[in-house]
Amino acid sequence: MAKKGAKQKHRYVMKVEEPVFITMRDGTPIACRIYRPDTVGRFPVLFAASPYQYETDDLPHSTMFLWREVGPVEWYVRDQGYAYVHMDVRGSGQSGGVYNFLDREEQQDYYECIEWVGRQDWCNGKVGGIGQSYYAWSQWFMGIVNPPSLKCIAPYDGAVDPYRGTAYHGGIYCDFMAWWYQLVRVNNLHRAANGLSGQYMPFDLAGEMARHQTYDDWWRERCPWERLDEIKVPLLSIGHWGKMGLHLRGNILGYENVKTPKKLVVTGAKDVFEAHDQFDHISYHEAELLPFYDHYLKGKKNKWAERPNVRLHVGGRNEWREEDEWPLKRAKFQHFYLNERTSKSVTSVNDGLLTTDAPKANGGSTSYDYPDPNWKLGTVGFSPQGPDPVRGVLTFTTEPLKKHLEIVGPIILELHASSSNIDTDFIIKISDQYPQSMEDRTLNIQPLATVVSKGWLRASHREKDKILSSKLRPIYTHANPKPIEPGIVYVFEIEVMPCAHEFKANHRIRLEIVNGDSPLTDSLFTHQYLYYKVGTDTIWHNDKHPSRLLLPIVTK
C-alpha cells in the first residue's frame, strides 16, 4: 500500500504531440493533439472531436469551463495504456476550412481522421469514441460513417436530434444554441491581453437556426437520429434526467434505435453542472466507461456483457433500477385527468385538481390571459417571499398520495385546448410537490417541489409523423405548421420527457402549464417570449374533452 502523501506511480510516461495535421480529401488540414504512452508498442485509441480547441484540455477541472468535456485524459494514457487523440473539427482551433456545424464535410472528416489514427504504428487498429455533449454528437456520426477502425462509441450526454431536442423544443425556438455558439466563437478567437488572435468562425449558426424554423433538409443533414440504424459498432449511451432541455432525449432515442450490442445508463445528475462535474472524475470513468472500452478495445474478459442492459437512477428514493429492456413493458399508463376542482395545496392561477376519476359532463374549462402583468422575469411571478415560479401559471395537483408511486418511462399529455390566437405554445412541467404544514399553507407560502419532467409543443406544429409515432411517444414532423382556428378545441398530444421517479406517500403530483418559462427556473434552456404571444388560452376538462396526463406506473 502506498504511503499517505506518496507520489502516484504511473504505468507509462505520457508523450504529447501537437499540432499533428491530417490532410483531408479536399486538401484541408485537420489539427489534432495526440497523447500516448512514450514507449514502443501498439495501444487502443480514444478519439474525441469538437470545435472547443484541444488546447483547452489543459484547463483545470471546473464547471466554469463547461466546454472542457474530454474526461481524465492523462489517467487513460498514463495508468490505463490508451492513446488519446483530440481533433479540432474543420474551421475551429488550428484546423483549416470553414466550420459548418456537423455538416457532411465534418462527418466525413471523422471517418478520415479515425482511419489515419488506425494506421499509425502506435495504434493497435482499434479506436473508440469518447466525450461529452458535442463530443457525443460527433460520436453518433462517427458510428454512422462507420470507419473500419472504429470499434465502439460511448456518447455521454449527447443529442441525436438537435432540432427537436435542443433548438426547437416541440417547435418552440430555444435561446440556448445561439448563446452556445457565440461562446464557441469567442473562445476560438479571443486571447489574453488581446494577444495574437485565434481563428474566427464566420458561419452564422444563430442566423441559420432562426431561418430554418421547420425540420427541413438543413436540419436533417445535422440530425443523426434518422440514420441511427446505420451504426454498426457497440454503444454505451449515458444520459442524465436533469438534461431535459439539451441531451436527455438523444441518449434515450439513441439507445432505442441503435441495433448493435448496447447499454443505457441514465444518471441522477440534476443539471448541466452535475453532469459535467461527473465526467471529470476518474472514479466515474473507472466504474462506468473503462470496462466498456477495455472490453471492446482491449478484448478484456471483464464481464461487461453480463451487466444489465439498462441502469436508471430513480429520483425520489435515490436508488438505481437495473433492467433488461427500455421502455419497460410492464410499465402501464395510468390516466390522471385535469379537473376544475381545487387542490387547496398551492397558490397558482387556478390551483386545479389532478385525479384518476374521468371528468363529468359539466367538468368545465380553465382559461388564462397572457402575458400576465405580474410576470417579472419570464413567466415567474413574485410573492412577499420573492420569486415564485408557479404563482402565474396553471397547475393541476393530485391529493396527497396514499402510497408510494413510481413512474418509469415515456410520458404523454393529451391536452384539449383552444385559444384566442392562431398559434400558441404549451410548456409543460411535472413536479413532485412535498407535504406542507397547514400553518405555512395558511400563510400562503408555496410548498416545496422538484421538477421531474418537462414537455413542449407549439400548437401549429401539432402534425404527428404517423410512421414514427407510437402509443408511447408522439413524434411531430415539424415540417408543415398550420394555424389553429381561434375558439376551436383541438387535441394536442404532447411528448413529455421520460423519467424514473418515485413519488412518496403524502407527496403530490403536480402538472404545470403555461406558454413561457424563465432563466430563474430553466437556466440555459429558455424560450424567447415572442411578440405575438398575447391572448387567452383555455384548457378543457369535461366528458367530451377529457384532458389527461398519462404516467407509466411500475409496481416492482
Side-chain angles (χ1 to χ4, degrees), residues 221-353:
E221 179 179 346
R222 293 160 172 83
C223 291
W225 80 288
E226 292 184 16
R227 301 177 60 194
L228 291 171
D229 59 353
E230 298 176 35
I231 294 176
K232 307 300 182 186
V233 297
L235 165 72
L236 171 59
S237 179
I238 303 178
H240 313 278
W241 296 127
K243 295 294 287 289
M244 290 168 276
L246 183 56
H247 291 311
L248 171 65
R249 187 175 184 272
N251 283 107
I252 289 176
L253 283 180
Y255 175 80
E256 290 179 5
N257 289 286
V258 168
K259 307 303 181 186
T260 61
K262 58 186 179 180
K263 296 190 186 298
L264 172 68
V265 177
V266 187
T267 82
K270 299 180 181 64
D271 52 33
V272 172
F273 308 102
E274 283 193 13
H276 180 274
D277 180 73
Q278 185 171 262
F279 196 69
D280 259 346
H281 289 285
I282 289 173
S283 58
Y284 187 81
H285 286 259
E286 196 165 30
E288 298 290 350
L289 288 118
L290 182 64
F292 172 73
Y293 292 130
D294 279 352
H295 180 76
Y296 287 109
L297 301 180
K298 291 186 175 181
K300 282 191 175 182
K301 297 180 180 179
N302 56 8
K303 297 185 178 181
W304 170 261
E306 298 175 19
R307 288 194 178 194
N309 291 332
V310 177
R311 294 178 60 241
L312 309 171
H313 184 272
V314 180
R317 60 184 171 91
N318 196 31
E319 294 179 359
W320 285 87
R321 172 180 282 278
E322 296 184 346
E323 299 288 345
D324 291 326
E325 63 183 8
W326 171 273
L328 278 60
K329 293 179 182 177
R330 68 182 186 280
K332 303 300 180 184
F333 274 138
Q334 184 170 348
H335 299 176
F336 290 81
Y337 294 92
L338 282 62
N339 194 295
E340 67 175 347
R341 291 186 290 125
T342 58
S343 77
K344 299 178 182 178
S345 69
V346 62
T347 303
S348 67
V349 171
N350 63 317
D351 183 26
L353 193 65

Side-chain angles (χ1 to χ4, degrees), residues 206-224:
E208 289 299 307
M209 289 193 308
R211 192 163 69 91
H212 294 276
Q213 301 177 54
T214 58
Y215 185 69
D216 56 13
D217 288 341
W218 188 89
W219 282 108
R220 189 168 286 107
E221 179 179 346
R222 293 160 172 83
C223 291

Side-chain angles (χ1 to χ4, degrees), residues 349 368-382 391-393 514-516 529 533:
V349 171
Y368 80 106
D369 301 327
Y370 51 84
D372 188 318
N374 294 312
W375 291 343
K376 302 301 181 186
L377 183 60
T379 56
V380 167
F382 279 75
R391 181 172 295 271
V393 310
V514 72
N515 70 348
Y529 202 88
K533 291 180 20 168

Side-chain angles (χ1 to χ4, degrees), residues 19-22 29-33 54 86-89 93-96:
V20 176
F21 290 101
I22 306 172
I30 297 297
C32 295
R33 178 187 278 182
Y54 57 66
H86 188 168
M87 163 191 173
D88 285 346
V89 301
Q94 296 194 49
S95 290

Side-chain angles (χ1 to χ4, degrees), residues 51-52 63 66-67 69 99 101-102 132-134 137 157-159 161-169 172-185 205-207 209-210 219 242-248 271-273 276 454 456 517-519 522-529:
Y52 296 149
T63 54
L66 285 173
W67 60 89
E69 298 170 321
Y99 179 71
F101 183 58
L102 296 169
Q132 178 182 9
S133 192
Y134 198 105
W137 275 344
D157 199 25
D161 183 356
Y163 179 89
R164 295 168 180 82
T166 305
Y168 281 91
H169 298 129
I172 305 170
Y173 173 74
C174 177
D175 300 328
F176 170 75
M177 288 294 287
W179 170 86
W180 166 82
Y181 184 58
Q182 186 62 12
L183 175 148
V184 172
R185 295 172 96 180
L205 179 60
M209 289 193 308
W219 282 108
K243 295 294 287 289
M244 290 168 276
L246 183 56
H247 291 311
L248 171 65
D271 52 33
V272 172
F273 308 102
H276 180 274
K454 299 178 183 180
W456 307 266
D517 49 24
S518 167
D522 295 82
S523 186
L524 303 173
F525 309 111
T526 54
H527 302 81
Q528 184 174 340
Y529 202 88

